[in-house]
Amino acid sequence: MSFLGHLEQLRQHLIRSVAGALIAAALVFYFKEFFFDSILLKPTKVDFLTYRLFCNISKLWGGEVFCLDSMPFKLVNLKMAGQFGMHIWVALIGGIILSFPYIILQLWLFVSPGLRPEEKKYSGLMISSSSILFFLGVFFGYFIIVPLTVQFLGTYQVSVDVQNQIDLSSYISTITSVLLACGLMFQLPVLVYVGTKLGLLTPQWMRKYRKHAFVVVLVIAAIITPPDVASQILVTIPVMLLYEISILISARIVKSEQSGQSRVI
């Protein structure tokens, strides 16, 4: 296929991906009450699952440090079209999240013609693994990072004379950025698999730069979490575990390819 032919194929898969995301976005837009009241705004309630879990854990330690009676802040809208704009923004982000498996499928269909038959047989595993890891990252962000962010930043005060009234757009932007960042960070094993297959990564290289990766993860964790050590550790631990798993995946791929070459020789 010519270069222009590849561009045409890419355009078709991009159009399908966008169409899938827009259909999912329309569903999110239509079910406004569910996605806002039951999901996005739920971490602002003291009966949220994570808060109750943290409270029970702190009671086992002989205290009630993480137990909340109320959230000392109020969400407000400061713009005429602010709520409508946030409705559209949430629908678009929700559409991307919900349609992620379909987007990955379209990406795989674009690159699959250039793959060998033995590589194509793992297409289902790759698509399902990427989707599962993405949603695991989103769930991790929603149930761990988002509550910590809301609890810390929402209750933080430099003085009792300053009350927190958080703009809706600021709250929604924080939540959606955390969810997307966590979902993408959990794609690390898939990226390492692809990178190793392309010869861009090796397990030796990943072991050599393990400390550098740790610093990078800490920096990213500092960006998407509240400015406290506990939240950064909660993000860093699972990502570094994924990094170690990625090293094992890379090593297995390299070993498999080397054994295959030796059989050919």
Side-chain angles (χ1 to χ4, degrees):
M1 186 180 296
S2 65
F3 177 73
L4 292 179
H6 283 294
L7 287 181
E8 176 61 23
Q9 288 292 321
L10 177 61
R11 186 183 70 86
Q12 292 179 5
H13 289 297
L14 287 177
I15 291 175
R16 292 169 186 168
S17 299
V18 172
L22 289 177
I23 293 174
L27 293 175
V28 176
F29 188 89
Y30 181 77
F31 294 102
K32 175 184 65 175
E33 290 78 9
F34 172 75
F35 284 98
F36 274 90
D37 296 337
S38 301
I39 298 180
L40 287 176
L41 299 181
K42 199 64 175 178
T44 65
K45 311 298 181 183
V46 295
D47 62 344
F48 186 59
L49 174 64
T50 304
Y51 300 141
R52 290 188 278 114
L53 178 61
F54 285 172
C55 180
N56 293 332
I57 293 175
S58 63
K59 286 180 179 179
L60 294 176
W61 292 345
E64 297 184 358
V65 178
F66 293 102
C67 296
L68 300 174
D69 296 325
S70 62
M71 285 289 186
F73 68 88
K74 183 179 181 181
L75 288 179
V76 296
N77 174 53
L78 302 177
K79 299 178 182 179
M80 180 67 72
Q83 296 200 46
F84 181 70
M86 281 300 100
H87 189 187
I88 295 177
W89 176 251
V90 167
L92 292 175
I93 298 299
I96 293 174
I97 292 175
L98 293 179
S99 64
F100 184 82
Y102 181 73
I103 294 174
I104 291 296
L105 173 62
Q106 292 302 315
L107 177 61
W108 187 263
L109 290 176
F110 172 70
V111 301
S112 60
L115 300 178
R116 296 190 296 269
E118 60 270 19
E119 294 173 337
K120 290 182 180 181
K121 67 180 181 180
Y122 294 108
S123 59
L125 178 62
M126 283 292 298
I127 295 171
S128 59
S129 299
S130 181
S131 301
I132 291 173
L133 286 171
F134 179 78
F135 287 120
L136 282 177
V138 171
F139 290 147
F140 174 78
Y142 180 73
F143 286 105
I144 302 297
I145 306 304
V146 167
L148 290 174
T149 303
V150 172
Q151 184 179 11
F152 181 84
L153 298 180
T155 61
Y156 187 84
Q157 289 179 290
V158 296
S159 171
V160 293
D161 295 327
V162 181
Q163 300 299 317
N164 285 328
Q165 290 189 337
I166 301 175
D167 184 36
L168 177 65
S169 61
S170 175
Y171 174 82
I172 295 296
S173 298
T174 301
I175 302 305
T176 53
S177 61
V178 167
L179 296 183
L180 285 176
C182 290
L184 294 177
M185 286 176 66
F186 272 58
Q187 292 297 297
L188 181 60
V190 177
L191 295 177
V192 169
Y193 176 87
V194 175
T196 305
K197 279 291 187 179
L198 295 176
L200 302 176
L201 292 174
T202 63
Q204 294 80 9
W205 185 90
M206 294 183 67
R207 293 189 184 100
K208 179 180 178 181
Y209 291 98
R210 180 185 280 117
K211 294 181 180 179
H212 298 77
F214 180 73
V215 174
V216 172
V217 172
L218 280 178
V219 172
I220 296 176
I223 294 174
I224 68 173
T225 61
D228 66 275
V229 178
S231 300
Q232 295 174 18
I233 291 175
L234 284 173
V235 174
T236 303
I237 290 176
V239 176
M240 289 308 298
L241 286 176
L242 288 174
Y243 187 84
E244 296 299 326
I245 293 174
S246 300
I247 292 177
L248 297 177
I249 293 174
S250 180
R252 183 171 182 179
I253 294 172
V254 171
K255 182 179 179 181
S256 176
E257 291 180 347
Q258 289 176 346
S259 61
Q261 292 176 356
S262 64
R263 285 196 297 269
V264 171
I265 296 174

